[in-house]
């Protein structure tokens, strides 16, 4: 999933807390707002947020499509 994030233009920021599964956290500035992509590779899950609001989430199979759909709105 990290390769998908980088292909979409996200930049690696940091790793999250080990108590939360040590997610990889990526950021991007899209349409004037910073968006954060949190990826839990061991759980096969991800979440896209902006300003504390959850925009989308899912698994490896739907990550690229869902993010592109959100950006197309």
């Amino acid at each position: 999933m990290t390769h998908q994030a980088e292909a979409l233009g996200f930049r690696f920021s940091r790793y999250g807390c080990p108590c939360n599964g040590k997610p990889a956290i990526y950021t991007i500035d899209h349409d004037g707002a910073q968006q954060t992509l949190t990826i839990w590779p061991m759980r096969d899950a991800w979440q896209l947020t902006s300003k504390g609001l959850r925009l989308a989430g899912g698994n490896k199979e739907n990550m690229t499509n869902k993010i592109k759909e959100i950006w197309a709105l």
Side-chain angles (χ1 to χ4, degrees):
M1 287 192 297
T2 58
H3 297 296
Q4 290 174 312
E6 291 169 355
L8 289 167
F10 286 91
R11 294 176 310 276
F12 178 77
S13 176
R14 64 192 181 280
Y15 285 107
C17 180
C19 63
N20 189 19
K22 195 177 179 186
I25 300 172
Y26 288 79
T27 60
I28 192 170
D29 289 325
H30 184 72
D31 288 338
Q34 184 175 18
Q35 295 181 354
T36 303
L37 177 64
T38 306
I39 299 173
W40 292 272
M42 299 300 283
R43 298 178 189 169
D44 189 29
W46 61 273
Q47 175 175 284
L48 181 66
T49 59
S50 180
K51 299 179 183 175
L53 177 66
R54 183 175 190 252
L55 302 176
N59 57 29
K60 177 174 40 178
E61 287 77 31
N62 64 16
M63 185 173 102
T64 301
N65 290 338
K66 277 193 172 181
I67 291 174
K68 285 183 178 180
E69 288 174 8
I70 293 290
W71 288 352
L73 296 177

